[in-house]
């Protein structure tokens, strides 16, 4: 799950970036309204953590521009203004959730997972496909009830594929899920991770759609 963090406070921004990465998210972070607009125009994110108070404008302007463009990316607002009126205003502007400062990083991660469930139309905390069960909160995977150890990158690919069964992900799309802006992408990394997943979970788990990308297999 790739998340854009928009927060002008250096300490909070770095804390969110590191904390969410430890919780299994791929994170990118910016400090201004202008940078947020540019990031959202250039790339696809699974969620946005958005501070309302930015040095060159309001996070509300970022949110309005996003919704005016018919972009339904889930947005979690963060702000020191935490009255009922502020929460109502933020939600009515098009935010999906609202969290006042100070906040706990575990709660931010939990709220992002809840937004991902709602966005995918799921009601349960687990994601299941045939005998495979993935738990986003614990970043754990089981096959037929037995735990399977995956690397962080392997888990991220499996999570992306299981979140949208039937969808075809190109190599570039999977790289976007795996790497932030400042991380170096190895040329054959996706292929290596797919190979490892097939070895651990079954050769038919992931299908290669020639010339296009990868999707969950139909017979596992």
């Amino acid at each position: 799950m790739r998340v854009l963090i928009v927060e002008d406070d250096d300490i909070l921004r770095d804390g969110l970036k590191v904390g969410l990465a430890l919780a299994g998210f791929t994170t990118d972070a910016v400090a201004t309204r202008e940078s947020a607009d540019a990031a959202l125009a250039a790339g696809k994110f699974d969620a946005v953590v958005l501070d309302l108070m930015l040095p060159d404008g309001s996070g509300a302007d970022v949110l309005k521009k996003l919704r005016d463009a018919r972009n339904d990316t889930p947005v979690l607002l963060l702000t020191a203004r935490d009255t009922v009126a502020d929460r109502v205003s933020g939600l009515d502007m098009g935010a999906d959730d609202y969290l006042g400062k100070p906040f706990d990083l575990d709660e931010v991660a939990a709220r992002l997972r809840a937004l991902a469930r709602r966005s995918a139309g799921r009601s349960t905390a687990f994601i299941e496909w045939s005998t495979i069960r993935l738990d986003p909160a614990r970043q754990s995977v089981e096959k037929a009830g037995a735990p399977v150890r995956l690397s962080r990158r392997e888990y991220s690919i499996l999570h992306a594929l299981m979140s949208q069964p039937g969808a075809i992900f190109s190599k570039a799309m999977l790289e976007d899920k795996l790497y932030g802006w400042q991380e170096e992408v190895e040329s054959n990394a996706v292929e290596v991770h797919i190979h490892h997943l097939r070895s651990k979970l079954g050769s038919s788990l992931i299908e290669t759609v020639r010339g296009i990308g990868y999707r969950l297999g139909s017979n596992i």
Side-chain angles (χ1 to χ4, degrees), residues 180-198:
W181 294 326
Q182 315 213 343
E183 295 180 282
E184 184 177 352
V185 181
E186 298 177 15
S187 61
N188 66 337
V190 168
E191 290 88 345
V192 170
H193 296 316
I194 294 287
H195 172 74
H196 289 163
L197 283 168
R198 286 169 171 160

Side-chain angles (χ1 to χ4, degrees), residues 1 127 134 136 154-164:
M1 185 174 177
I127 307 174
L134 184 147
E154 293 162 6
Y155 172 86
S156 294
I157 288 178
L158 183 63
H159 185 226
L161 293 171
M162 289 183 65
S163 294
Q164 294 181 258

Side-chain angles (χ1 to χ4, degrees), residues 4-189:
L4 177 66
I5 299 163
V6 187
E7 170 60 64
D8 66 313
D9 184 286
D10 293 343
I11 294 175
L12 279 179
R13 186 174 64 253
D14 290 345
L16 281 163
K17 186 171 174 60
V18 172
L20 290 178
L22 289 173
F25 298 92
T26 299
T27 57
D28 294 306
V30 297
T32 65
R33 178 196 58 77
E34 183 179 4
S35 297
D37 287 340
L40 289 165
K44 179 169 176 54
F45 295 89
D46 298 299
V48 181
V49 178
L50 177 62
D51 183 18
L52 279 178
M53 304 288 287
L54 299 172
D56 58 343
S58 170
D61 297 327
V62 176
L63 179 58
K64 183 178 186 305
K65 187 171 184 178
L66 195 68
R67 296 304 186 233
D68 285 349
R70 300 294 187 268
N71 187 324
D72 60 359
T73 301
V75 174
L76 170 60
L77 288 183
L78 297 179
T79 180
R81 298 182 302 191
D82 193 29
T83 67
V84 172
D86 290 326
R87 293 196 296 272
V88 170
S89 176
L91 294 169
D92 282 345
M93 283 189 295
D96 298 272
D97 201 355
Y98 192 106
L99 191 58
K101 298 178 182 179
F103 51 80
D104 185 276
L105 279 171
D106 288 339
E107 184 176 4
V108 176
R111 286 176 182 265
L112 287 171
R113 289 191 293 268
L115 291 179
R117 287 198 302 273
R118 290 204 293 269
S119 180
R122 289 188 290 109
S123 59
T124 62
F126 302 106
I127 307 174
E128 295 182 311
W129 179 258
S130 185
T131 61
I132 309 298
R133 182 185 236 202
L134 184 147
D135 182 348
R138 293 179 174 80
Q139 299 176 63
S140 64
V141 174
E142 295 178 354
K143 180 179 181 181
V148 179
R149 291 179 61 88
L150 300 180
S151 72
R152 182 167 69 91
R153 306 289 194 202
E154 293 162 6
Y155 172 86
S156 294
I157 288 178
L158 183 63
H159 185 226
L161 293 171
M162 289 183 65
S163 294
Q164 294 181 258
I168 300 174
F169 286 79
S170 68
K171 179 180 176 180
M173 290 168 68
L174 290 175
E175 287 174 344
D176 281 344
K177 300 287 187 185
L178 294 177
Y179 299 99
W181 294 326
Q182 315 213 343
E183 295 180 282
E184 184 177 352
V185 181
E186 298 177 15
S187 61
N188 66 337

